[in-house]
């Protein structure tokens, strides 16, 4: 009987050691994985968009593809939230939470906020794709190529931010937040250039039958989400 009890205790010790060393990181990282899923989706969409805008010729095939890909985002959002739920549910059974350096782990709410921002951003790209489809139908002479070029530069900056989020790793979070801050500053400059070009060309931003006003509004909303995401992740850094 004593040997059986000893074997049980050894087995429990080994299981606890494995859970401390291996399983918890995998569970905690599922929250990061959820962010990566949506960020990768956003990166692939934006990296397809901005080169076409820079070329200045939008085909029905292009705008239709962007609208379709935007509509797929619901499935990716559901998967990302499932990954986050796995991470949350693992906490009560995670012995690492008793260790001093892991007490008060507050990252999950931060990741949830980032997921919310990415979800809103993907919805905004659906609206953006519709506006670009309207551009294709209404602007036959493409007399505002410079505006499209400026807009492409802004979307490229957003794309770079998405690519940074697609490789998010909490162990190197300070480096990620620094890079995201720099990318947000670049995106803000590109957005200012979009606004300047719209003013210079006196584009009809208030005309609801033309796409320019919606494009500028969506760009400002995207900038808000880029800035917000960086601020949330910076808030996860140790004090």
């Amino acid at each position: 009987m004593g040997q059986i009890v000893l074997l049980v205790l050894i087995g429990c010790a080994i299981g606890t050691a494995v859970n401390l060393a291996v399983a918890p990181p995998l569970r905690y990282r599922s929250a990061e994985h959820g962010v990566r899923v949506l960020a990768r989706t956003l990166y692939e969409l934006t990296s397809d968009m901005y080169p076409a805008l820079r070329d200045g010729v939008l085909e029905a095939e292009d705008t239709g593809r962007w609208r379709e890909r935007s509509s797929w985002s619901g499935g990716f959002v559901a998967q990302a939230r499932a990954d986050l739920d796995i991470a949350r549910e693992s906490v009560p059974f995670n012995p690492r939470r008793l260790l001093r350096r892991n007490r008060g782990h507050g990252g999950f709410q931060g990741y949830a906020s980032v997921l919310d921002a990415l979800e809103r951003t993907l919805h905004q790209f659906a609206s953006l794709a519709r506006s670009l489809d309207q551009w294709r139908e209404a602007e036959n002479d493409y007399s505002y190529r410079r505006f499209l070029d400026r807009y492409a530069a802004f979307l490229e900056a957003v794309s770079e931010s998405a690519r940074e989020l697609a490789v998010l790793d909490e162990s190197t979070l300070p480096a990620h937040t620094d890079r995201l801050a720099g990318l947000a500053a670049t995106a803000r400059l590109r957005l200012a250039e979009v606004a300047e070009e719209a003013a210079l060309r006196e584009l009809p931003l208030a005309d609801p039958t033309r796409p320019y006003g919606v494009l500028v509004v969506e760009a400002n909303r995207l900038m808000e989400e880029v800035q917000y995401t960086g601020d949330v992740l910076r808030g996860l850094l140790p004090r």
Side-chain angles (χ1 to χ4, degrees), residues 3-238:
Q3 291 179 339
I4 293 175
V5 171
L6 180 60
L7 289 174
V8 169
L9 292 175
I10 292 173
C12 290
I14 293 174
T16 301
V18 170
N19 201 29
L20 283 168
V22 180
L26 296 177
R27 293 294 182 88
Y28 280 125
R29 287 182 182 275
S30 69
E32 294 174 358
H33 182 260
V35 172
R36 293 192 198 109
V37 166
L38 288 191
R40 172 59 59 178
T41 302
L42 179 60
Y43 170 69
E44 291 174 351
L45 179 59
T46 52
S47 61
D48 188 28
M49 271 186 171
Y50 75 78
L53 290 181
R54 187 162 287 155
D55 290 341
V57 179
L58 302 180
E59 302 291 345
E61 179 182 353
D62 294 326
T63 56
R65 182 174 66 252
W66 299 335
R67 294 180 70 170
E68 183 178 12
R69 290 174 67 174
S70 297
S71 70
W72 294 344
S73 63
F76 294 113
V77 170
Q79 179 60 56
R81 296 203 179 280
D83 290 333
L84 180 62
D85 288 342
I86 290 173
R88 282 175 171 152
E89 291 168 1
S90 72
V91 172
F93 307 102
N94 189 343
R96 284 169 66 99
R97 67 188 174 89
L98 301 177
L99 299 179
R100 182 178 299 276
R101 67 177 179 274
N102 289 305
R103 290 176 184 171
H105 187 285
F108 295 140
Q109 182 54 47
Y111 286 131
S113 298
V114 172
L115 287 180
D116 289 341
L118 287 170
E119 182 179 6
R120 290 192 298 268
T121 301
L122 285 167
H123 288 162
Q124 287 158 8
F125 266 97
S127 175
L128 179 59
R130 287 192 296 271
S131 298
L132 291 173
D133 199 32
Q134 183 183 358
W135 175 297
R136 182 186 59 80
E137 294 174 354
E139 307 302 324
N140 295 322
D141 58 358
Y142 296 100
S143 57
Y144 303 118
R145 283 283 301 275
R146 184 66 175 171
F147 177 79
L148 278 182
D149 184 65
R150 296 292 193 184
Y151 211 91
F154 169 70
L155 291 185
E156 183 177 10
V158 174
S159 181
E160 289 300 312
S161 293
R163 182 165 68 171
E164 185 66 30
L165 288 173
V167 294
L168 183 67
D169 188 327
E170 189 176 17
S171 65
T172 55
L173 192 56
H176 285 298
T177 56
D178 288 343
R179 285 192 289 268
L180 285 169
L183 292 169
T186 299
R188 200 174 300 109
L189 289 174
R190 301 290 86 83
L191 177 60
E193 292 171 355
V194 169
E196 290 171 4
E197 187 64 24
L200 179 64
R201 302 297 177 185
E202 299 182 345
L203 298 184
L205 302 183
D207 185 348
T209 67
R210 308 289 289 281
Y212 308 106
V214 176
L215 289 173
V216 172
V217 167
E218 292 298 345
N220 279 278
R221 289 175 177 170
L222 289 171
M223 184 66 245
E224 289 174 2
E225 298 299 352
V226 169
Q227 185 65 59
Y228 173 76
T229 300
D231 292 344
V232 168
L233 289 176
R234 186 166 294 279
L236 299 182
L237 295 176

